[in-house]
Amino acid sequence: ADAAAGNGQRRRSLRVADAFYRALEAKDVDAFAALWTHDAVYRVPVTAEGVPGQTVGRDAIVANIRGFFELFGEAQFTWDLEPMLDPRRVMAIWSMDVELLAGGRYINRGVAIFHLRGERIADFSEYYDTAAFLDAFG
């Protein structure tokens, strides 16, 4: 019974991680917002100020992504999802190529770790090329 429950959670976790990248690619704020717990934490290796950072709470996370979406034109993402031993965790290996409305492109790649509570993201940690991020947004 425990293995079946773990496999069910693993499938739900993979579905949520897949929906995360689909929402980003579609720039769908509502779909993106629906994926998070109210008290979620989003961790990044660098902010526009050049230091590691985290955003706490669904409303703040959604406000941040809305701000990025306002800078983005056409966006293309690729992602591979790997279930982890803990069925509430998923590792994603991703790449992105985004047209910046102000001109130029933001191209980056990285790894993310999703930690779910039920069918929502409770904790998200992302690791990516910080130089590429700062070139585009710093």
Side-chain angles (χ1 to χ4, degrees), residues 60-82:
I61 292 166
V62 171
N64 277 359
I65 206 69
R66 185 177 279 117
F68 277 107
F69 286 170
E70 290 170 0
L71 305 174
F72 290 179
E74 189 73 22
Q76 293 182 322
F77 286 81
T78 61
W79 60 94
D80 279 319
L81 303 176
E82 295 292 333

Side-chain angles (χ1 to χ4, degrees), residues 78-97:
T78 61
W79 60 94
D80 279 319
L81 303 176
E82 295 292 333
M84 299 179 76
L85 182 60
D86 177 341
R88 297 166 302 168
R89 292 184 186 265
V90 173
M91 179 179 72
I93 302 164
W94 57 265
S95 66
M96 66 187 306
D97 182 346

Side-chain angles (χ1 to χ4, degrees), residues 100-127:
L100 296 174
L101 295 177
R105 304 193 81 68
Y106 173 48
I107 298 171
N108 211 334
R109 61 193 177 119
V111 174
I113 304 294
F114 294 81
H115 186 183
L116 280 81
R117 188 181 319 131
E119 297 195 33
R120 300 282 181 270
I121 303 164
D123 191 276
F124 178 84
S125 295
E126 195 161 48
Y127 309 90

